[in-house]
Amino acid sequence: MKHVAEALEQANVGKVWVEEPLAKHTTWRIGGPADLMIQPTDKEALIRAVQIIHQHEIPWTVIGRGSNLLVRDGGIRGAVFKVAQGLSHCEFQGETVCVGAGYSMVRLAVEAGKQGLTGLEFAGGIPGSVGGAVYMNAGAHGSDLSRILTSAEILFNDGETKIVSKEEMQFSYRTSLLQKRKGIVIEATLQLQTGDRREIAKSLAKFKDRRLSTQPFNSPCAGSVFRNPPGDHAGRLIEASGLKGFTIGGAQISEMHANFIVNRGGATATDVLTLIEYARATVQKNFNVDLHTEVLVIGEG
């Protein structure tokens, strides 16, 4: 893999690591090494890097800020693209915003509020990046990205870069086209509406206060672990099963919110996966409800 890393460095694509521990790049602070990791400096560098990876027939994966993600302890074979600062531009044009995939959703919500634009308040507590939000149609507080996205620029696995419309994105609950067709989000175009700055600020503050008082973001975690089943909440079912605080290895079902699993120190992906399966089986036994994970699990065991 070193010769590929050298080719990438010669092509000036950005930062390149070999055998990089992914625990350094996930909010859970969990994950084995990536054979090769690339953080492109911009869109053109990303395209060059993907071309080189294709030339060497290396499989690839993409991550953003590392939230909503569990990397198994064996790490990831092939290349990992980290979409971060190099794709973090943001431009407001009236009620439209064009924003890079590496831009923080929380920061975007705050910036939109400062512009007097409403529609992104729900994102004020989403710890991920724009690219990840497009990938999984991230949402909260009764809204999601599909409500405001008009199009996304995506680099697909075959090397084609395409502007994909909202309709073509095939959004549904926490899913999109990108679960079916492999690609990397480069940029999203969002349509917002003019609103009252004070009301927007109030909503953002309310959601932030609620998040800080109910969710354990002071500990390494990845956001909500399970999707909410129809008409109910995964956290309520897990708590009603008496599992708050239940621990396996270094992983614990949060005592603050039962739909969060925190890394108490030294947790492995195996700890987390075992705890996930235990919670799922317990809820199934107690309530006959089959919980489905919201976090993306990747890599080798």
Side-chain angles (χ1 to χ4, degrees):
M1 205 58 80
K2 286 183 179 179
H3 68 288
V4 181
E6 289 171 0
L8 289 162
E9 287 169 348
Q10 288 171 7
N12 196 28
V13 301
K15 293 182 180 178
V16 180
W17 297 269
V18 176
E19 292 295 322
E20 175 71 1
L22 287 164
K24 294 181 179 180
H25 302 275
T26 63
T27 58
W28 239 328
R29 299 291 178 257
I30 292 171
D35 288 346
L36 191 64
M37 188 167 184
I38 307 149
Q39 184 175 309
T41 51
D42 54 28
K43 171 184 170 180
E44 289 71 27
L46 171 62
I47 293 171
R48 289 198 303 275
V50 169
Q51 289 171 343
I52 291 169
I53 292 301
H54 272 292
Q55 287 167 10
H56 290 85
E57 299 183 339
I58 296 172
W60 59 267
T61 306
V62 60
I63 67 171
R65 297 171 68 86
S67 63
N68 202 57
L69 180 69
L70 179 64
V71 178
R72 290 188 177 96
D73 301 314
I76 297 178
R77 305 289 70 78
V80 173
F81 289 100
K82 181 174 181 177
V83 177
Q85 291 94 335
L87 291 166
S88 60
H89 58 280
C90 182
E91 182 181 357
F92 289 91
Q93 299 172 336
E95 295 181 335
T96 301
V97 56
C98 297
V99 59
Y103 206 84
S104 157
M105 285 295 287
V106 172
R107 183 181 173 193
L108 180 60
V110 171
E111 290 298 320
K114 289 179 180 177
Q115 298 279 336
L117 296 174
T118 184
L120 265 165
E121 290 87 335
F122 76 91
I126 294 177
S129 62
V130 168
V134 173
Y135 174 86
M136 66 169 293
N137 188 23
H141 309 296
S143 191
D144 58 39
L145 202 72
S146 71
R147 308 277 184 98
I148 55 174
L149 184 134
T150 58
S151 65
E153 183 179 13
I154 297 172
L155 173 61
F156 286 105
N157 192 38
D158 59 6
E160 177 191 19
T161 301
K162 183 181 177 184
I163 304 295
V164 182
S165 70
K166 172 182 175 176
E167 291 71 29
E168 292 172 311
M169 283 301 300
Q170 302 177 25
F171 285 125
S172 59
Y173 181 69
R174 302 297 179 265
T175 60
S176 73
L177 168 71
L178 294 171
Q179 276 82 34
K180 303 169 190 172
R181 186 179 177 191
K182 193 172 182 180
I184 302 174
V185 178
I186 295 172
E187 180 183 87
T189 301
L190 311 177
Q191 185 63 44
L192 306 176
Q193 294 180 342
T194 301
D196 185 297
R197 281 184 174 83
R198 288 172 297 181
E199 291 301 316
I200 296 168
K202 275 186 192 176
S203 294
L204 285 171
K206 181 178 73 173
F207 291 152
K208 180 181 178 181
D209 290 345
R210 179 178 172 188
R211 178 173 66 93
L212 292 175
S213 64
T214 62
Q215 299 177 7
F217 284 111
N218 60 334
S219 299
C221 64
S224 298
V225 172
F226 295 102
R227 301 179 182 186
N228 287 325
D232 210 333
H233 291 87
R236 187 198 73 79
L237 294 168
I238 297 166
E239 181 175 355
S241 296
L243 294 180
K244 263 191 172 181
F246 188 82
T247 302
I248 293 178
Q252 180 187 59
I253 294 176
S254 170
E255 295 175 336
M256 182 178 281
H257 192 308
N259 198 18
F260 285 68
I261 291 176
V262 298
N263 180 354
R264 298 183 66 204
T268 64
T270 300
D271 293 339
V272 173
L273 289 170
T274 304
L275 190 51
I276 285 172
E277 289 308 314
Y278 185 82
R280 177 185 278 148
T282 304
V283 168
Q284 175 66 41
K285 178 182 176 182
N286 291 342
F287 299 101
N288 195 31
V289 174
D290 188 16
L291 294 179
H292 297 278
T293 52
E294 185 169 307
V295 293
L296 177 66
V297 181
I298 59 175
E300 297 184 348

